[in-house]
């Protein structure tokens, strides 16, 4: 039995599939050209077949657009120039095929990466991908293929990347990862896919081999390796009880989120794209409180064009049918990287060049996104928010660019909605402290507790070593939230919360009492939160919140809330 962090609720028992990228070591050796060329031809043929196979299996779940990446890889693998350069090197230098493939590919990658052109940078990413496959085939190494999973499976991995999660099919019953915390991006993806997940489970890779039976208890955060019959029965019963609880909450799908004394709030869903909209509506979401647009960029091999983004935003706005949709502009950097963009090397990427900082510098990227958003605004009720705002000047600059883009579109004769709200995330303590000033400029706030806690506690949200410092109930955090809400209300602005804290059943009573207007969470948490809200009195929760602000520790706060609401 291993302990991890329950990141996406559920329980399952299934066979393990260990996801491990092979380690490729290339050595330079002497080779007989004819033999090496034959070896190369065979490996290249297998590489092409492999990519075709992955594409065919992925086609069942992905759109034409999403499949384009495989076409780009096929084109690269079939490029005669690429093959002939490798063969020439084998012939001229009498070296082994994998060394020649590695050398030629590295030269091409370096050349493309140095070009100041997105198209060629994307090609560099394609070459990397294709040559990785090619080298594995030359060395006889197995590449894991998640799309080929065709029986109930729990995936065990160091971490899952967005492209790994894009490949998960209906046979995947959960995953366990060695790193990550409640708010790491694999956890966020698991929630939106409604797949049970235990993250930050160190030792899991060493303890599990493919084919073992895994009992995944993602309610309490345990991974059982080859559990005995009694344990399996216990886990199956737990899974059943969880499913029944979920079913019972369904009566609240179209209920209002209103306290017993008539105070109404809004319960919304966090999404990563159009595919999550159905889940939000099905679970009674009254809007989208956070659309993390970075997934449009991360699940891609190029910066999405204005047209591609316009379609994506329009789809979501139409899908939500007039309900409010808060779209966050690009929040990239930190742990969120792009295969086609080189970030500067930094000691602390979470404190570095990311989100609005990058968008204010690379204004072409920002303007393209804002144009797409403004154009889509006529299809629903759009709110735009900027991530990682630390200073009023940053907000003013971002807002000025937005105004400029909007004016430009209008002068082109394009229709833009006239009721777009422009707000910001409050996830840096500096912004929380100065909220009463920020609220003169921003139409609304959305509190990002995942980062707000990381920055307040100086505790990396990706590190399981310091995950004990993720303390949403710590009075210091509650006071920052209180300042943010008070600061917003002073100027008549509304405040939401889209960090993981918003969906925690014991946090909801406190946040309600502090006056939070909107709670945005993963779709699967909405009904539980509604059950909590509808069972409480606002007046009572105001008193509870005031008490909590004056406690000393997170434990005291949590114990106190439990003693009042349980
Ligand atoms: C947050 O920081 O709380 C947040 C919602 O943003 P993300 O988790 O995407 O950083
Ligand atoms: Mg954040």
């Amino acid at each position: 039995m291993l302990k991890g962090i329950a990141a996406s609720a559920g329980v399952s028992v299934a066979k393990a599939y260990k996801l491990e990228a092979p380690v490729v070591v290339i050595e330079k050796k002497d080779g007989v050209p004819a033999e090496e060329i034959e070896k190369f031809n065979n490996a290249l043929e297998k590489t092409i077949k492999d990519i075709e196979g992955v594409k065919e299996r992925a086609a069942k779940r992905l759109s034409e657009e999403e499949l384009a990446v495989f076409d780009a890889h096929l084109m690269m693998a079939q490029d005669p120039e690429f093959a002939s350069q490798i063969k020439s090197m084998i012939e001229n230098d009498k070296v082994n095929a994998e060394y020649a493939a590695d050398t030629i590919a590295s030269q091409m990658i370096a050349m493309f990466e140095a070009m100041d052109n997105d198209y060629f940078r994307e090609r560099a990413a394609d070459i990397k991908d294709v040559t990785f496959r090619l080298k594995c085939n030359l060395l006889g190494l197995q590449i894991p293929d998640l799309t080929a999973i065709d029986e109930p499976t729990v995936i065990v991995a160091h971490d899952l990347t967005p492209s790994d999660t894009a490949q998960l099919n209906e046979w995947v019953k959960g995953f366990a990862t060695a790193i990550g915390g409640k708010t790491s991006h694999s956890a966020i993806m698991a929630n939106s896919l409604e797949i049970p997940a235990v993250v930050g489970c160190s030792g899991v890779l060493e303890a599990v081999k493919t084919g073992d039976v895994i009992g995944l208890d993602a309610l309490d955060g345990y991974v059982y390796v080859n559990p005995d019959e009694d344990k399996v029965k216990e886990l199956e019963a737990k899974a059943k009880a969880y499913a029944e609880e979920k079913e019972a909450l369904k009566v609240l799908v179209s209920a209002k989120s209103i306290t017993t004394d008539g105070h109404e709030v809004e319960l919304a869903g966090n999404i990563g794209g159009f595919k999550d909209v159905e889940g939000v509506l099905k679970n009674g979401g009254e809007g989208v409180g956070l659309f993390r647009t970075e997934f449009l960029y991360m699940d891609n091999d190029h910066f999405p064009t204005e047209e591609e983004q316009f379609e994506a935003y329009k789809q979501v706005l139409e899908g939500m049918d007039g309900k409010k949709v808060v779209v966050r502009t690009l929040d990239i950097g930190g742990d969120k990287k792009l295969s086609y963009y080189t970030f500067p090397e930094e000691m602390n990427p979470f404190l570095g060049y990311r989100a609005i900082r990058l968008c204010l510098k690379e204004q072409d990227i920002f303007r393209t996104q804002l144009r797409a958003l403004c154009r889509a605004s006529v299809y629903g009720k759009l709110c735009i928010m900027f991530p990682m705002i630390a200073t009023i000047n940053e907000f003013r600059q971002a807002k000025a660019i937005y105004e400029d883009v909007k004016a430009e579109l209008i002068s082109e004769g394009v229709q833009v909605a006239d009721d777009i709200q422009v707000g910001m995330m409050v996830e840096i303590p500096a912004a929380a402290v100065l909220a009463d000033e920020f609220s003169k400029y921003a139409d609304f706030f959305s509190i990002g507790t995942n980062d707000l806690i990381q920055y307040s506690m100086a505790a990396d949200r990706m590190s399981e070593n310091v995950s004990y410092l993720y303390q949403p109930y710590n009075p210091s955090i509650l006071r920052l939230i209180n300042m943010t809400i008070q600061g917003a209300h002073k100027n008549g602005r509304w405040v939401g919360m889209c960090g993981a804290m918003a969906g925690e059943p014991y946090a909801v009573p406190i946040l309600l009492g502090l006056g939070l207007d909107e709670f945005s969470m993963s779709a699967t948490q909405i009904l539980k939160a509604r059950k909590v809200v509808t069972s409480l009195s606002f007046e009572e929760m105001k008193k509870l919140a005031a008490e909590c602000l004056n406690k000393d520790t997170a434990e005291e706060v949590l114990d106190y809330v439990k003693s009042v609401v349980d």
Side-chain angles (χ1 to χ4, degrees):
M1 182 188 87
L2 297 150
K3 178 82 181 107
I5 300 161
S8 174
V11 179
S12 45
V13 180
K15 276 208 180 132
Y17 178 98
K18 202 159 141 182
L19 177 68
E20 272 179 312
V23 181
V24 177
V25 183
I26 302 288
E27 285 173 51
K28 184 178 181 182
K29 291 184 199 151
D30 294 335
V32 180
E35 285 171 16
E36 293 301 317
I37 286 179
E38 195 190 338
K39 201 169 97 184
F40 170 72
N41 285 336
N42 291 339
L44 187 63
E45 201 178 313
K46 183 169 181 326
T47 302
I48 293 168
K49 278 213 186 96
D50 288 349
I51 302 170
E52 284 170 344
V54 173
K55 184 187 166 191
E56 205 180 301
R57 288 188 292 276
K60 293 185 197 122
R61 298 187 65 240
L62 302 184
S63 66
E64 274 301 311
E65 215 173 274
E66 289 168 312
L67 290 172
V69 57
F70 299 111
D71 291 326
H73 289 178
L74 279 172
M75 219 158 82
M76 189 63 235
Q78 288 164 330
D79 178 11
E81 178 62 23
F82 177 59
S84 84
Q85 281 197 37
I86 296 173
K87 286 189 218 174
S88 301
M89 184 171 179
I90 296 176
E91 272 175 349
N92 298 337
D93 297 1
K94 306 207 169 15
V95 287
N96 49 331
E98 54 272 25
Y99 180 75
D102 188 53
T103 312
I104 297 294
S106 304
Q107 286 167 1
M108 289 172 90
I109 291 165
M111 187 178 78
F112 282 148
E113 277 182 343
M115 291 185 188
D116 190 19
N117 175 317
D118 287 348
Y119 176 80
F120 288 112
R121 284 203 221 116
E122 285 156 30
R123 298 291 76 79
D126 294 337
I127 304 172
K128 266 187 210 164
D129 242 85
V130 170
T131 34
F132 178 70
R133 263 184 199 286
L134 178 63
K135 287 185 285 186
C136 288
N137 284 334
L138 280 165
L139 294 166
L141 299 169
Q142 202 70 30
I143 300 174
D145 176 8
L146 296 175
T147 61
I149 291 174
D150 59 0
E151 60 176 337
T153 298
V154 169
I155 294 175
V156 176
H158 178 66
D159 192 18
L160 290 182
T161 65
S163 65
D164 292 331
T165 44
Q167 291 181 42
L168 303 183
N169 63 28
E170 69 279 11
W171 292 109
V172 177
K173 301 301 175 197
F175 63 75
T177 61
I179 66 157
K182 250 193 164 73
T183 62
S184 64
H185 285 84
S186 52
I188 289 164
M189 289 301 281
N191 270 297
S192 78
L193 293 166
E194 298 193 27
I195 296 178
V198 174
V199 302
C201 187
S202 58
V204 75
L205 274 178
E206 295 73 18
V208 177
K209 54 185 188 310
T210 295
D212 281 343
V213 173
I214 297 290
L216 187 75
D217 177 355
L219 293 175
D220 292 318
Y222 290 102
V223 175
Y224 300 91
V225 186
N226 295 319
D228 61 22
E229 216 174 294
D230 287 348
K231 194 63 185 176
V232 171
K233 277 201 190 120
E234 185 192 316
L235 290 171
E236 284 171 350
K238 203 165 173 178
K240 189 161 165 263
Y242 177 68
E244 282 167 2
E245 187 194 327
K246 254 174 102 172
E247 193 56 36
L249 286 170
K250 285 199 179 143
V251 295
L252 291 171
V253 169
S254 42
K256 280 189 168 185
S257 310
I258 192 162
T259 60
T260 52
D261 50 353
H263 175 74
E264 193 168 348
V265 293
E266 189 178 329
L267 298 183
N270 292 349
I271 65 167
F274 176 66
K275 62 179 185 340
D276 303 330
V277 164
E278 192 194 333
V280 172
L281 294 174
K282 209 173 68 191
N283 286 287
E286 293 160 305
V288 165
L290 169 64
F291 177 177
R292 288 185 163 94
T293 58
E294 61 268 24
F295 291 112
L296 281 175
Y297 294 72
M298 288 159 79
D299 298 347
N300 222 323
D301 62 354
H302 61 275
F303 276 106
T305 62
E306 180 182 322
E307 214 47 43
E308 286 166 343
Q309 293 192 56
F310 166 71
E311 284 302 328
Y313 305 143
K314 175 174 177 251
Q315 236 185 348
V316 169
L317 284 159
E318 284 184 336
M320 288 305 293
D321 198 19
K323 293 189 169 75
K324 192 189 75 186
V325 176
V326 182
V327 181
R328 175 172 75 186
T329 59
L330 182 59
D331 183 2
I332 205 76
D335 63 328
K336 294 176 277 192
K337 295 281 160 39
L338 302 173
S339 60
Y340 49 89
Y341 177 84
T342 314
F343 286 84
E345 283 288 327
E346 291 176 309
M347 289 290 279
N348 295 297
F350 269 116
L351 302 180
Y353 188 56
R354 57 171 295 203
I356 200 68
R357 303 165 180 189
L358 185 149
C359 285
L360 289 176
K361 191 122 183 263
E362 304 247 11
Q363 289 195 12
D364 287 352
I365 300 172
F366 195 37
R367 292 181 77 96
T368 302
Q369 181 169 38
L370 290 171
R371 275 183 68 94
L373 280 167
C374 286
R375 282 176 54 200
S377 64
V378 290
Y379 295 95
K381 192 171 172 193
L382 175 67
C383 302
I384 297 175
M385 70 175 168
F386 306 127
M388 298 287 296
I389 295 282
T391 70
I392 294 206
N393 276 337
E394 282 174 341
F395 184 82
R396 281 199 193 125
Q397 273 181 60
K399 178 86 190 273
I401 297 172
Y402 157 80
E403 294 290 1
D404 193 51
V405 163
K406 194 171 140 185
E408 177 182 86
L409 281 166
I410 291 169
S411 74
E412 289 169 20
V414 178
Q415 254 201 316
V416 180
D418 54 15
D419 59 351
I420 305 174
Q421 293 187 36
V422 181
M424 57 182 264
M425 300 271 301
V426 174
E427 49 190 343
I428 296 181
V433 171
L434 212 59
D436 56 342
E437 297 298 326
F438 273 100
S439 64
K440 292 179 185 160
Y441 307 95
D443 293 331
F444 67 93
F445 294 151
S446 184
I447 306 174
T449 46
N450 305 341
D451 279 316
L452 184 63
I453 298 171
Q454 140 163 288
Y455 296 131
S456 303
M457 296 288 179
D460 186 337
R461 65 195 262 188
M462 292 300 288
S463 163
E464 63 275 16
N465 300 317
V466 293
S467 65
Y468 76 96
L469 286 167
Y470 173 74
Q471 294 186 5
Y473 298 97
N474 192 295
S476 61
I477 302 298
L478 300 181
R479 288 188 193 191
L480 284 170
I481 294 169
N482 187 43
M483 285 178 97
T484 307
I485 297 173
Q486 296 295 323
H489 288 176
K490 190 171 155 191
N491 285 305
R493 311 299 192 178
W494 62 269
V495 193
M497 178 180 286
C498 58
M501 182 180 183
E504 290 207 13
Y506 289 115
V508 171
I510 312 174
L511 299 170
L512 196 61
L514 291 175
L516 191 74
D517 303 294
E518 178 234 48
F519 300 63
S520 192
M521 57 201 77
S522 49
T524 51
Q525 297 173 307
I526 295 174
L527 292 174
K528 184 95 179 254
R530 184 161 297 142
K531 188 170 176 203
V532 175
V533 169
T534 52
S535 68
L536 299 172
S537 131
F538 182 43
E539 285 309 315
E540 292 298 316
M541 290 311 106
K542 279 193 207 165
K543 288 183 213 146
L544 171 134
E547 282 287 328
C548 291
L549 290 176
N550 286 320
K551 298 279 180 209
D552 287 349
T553 66
E555 291 76 14
E556 281 177 31
V557 169
L558 194 54
D559 287 347
Y560 173 66
V561 175
K562 285 181 179 172
S563 75
V564 174
V565 304
D566 270 350

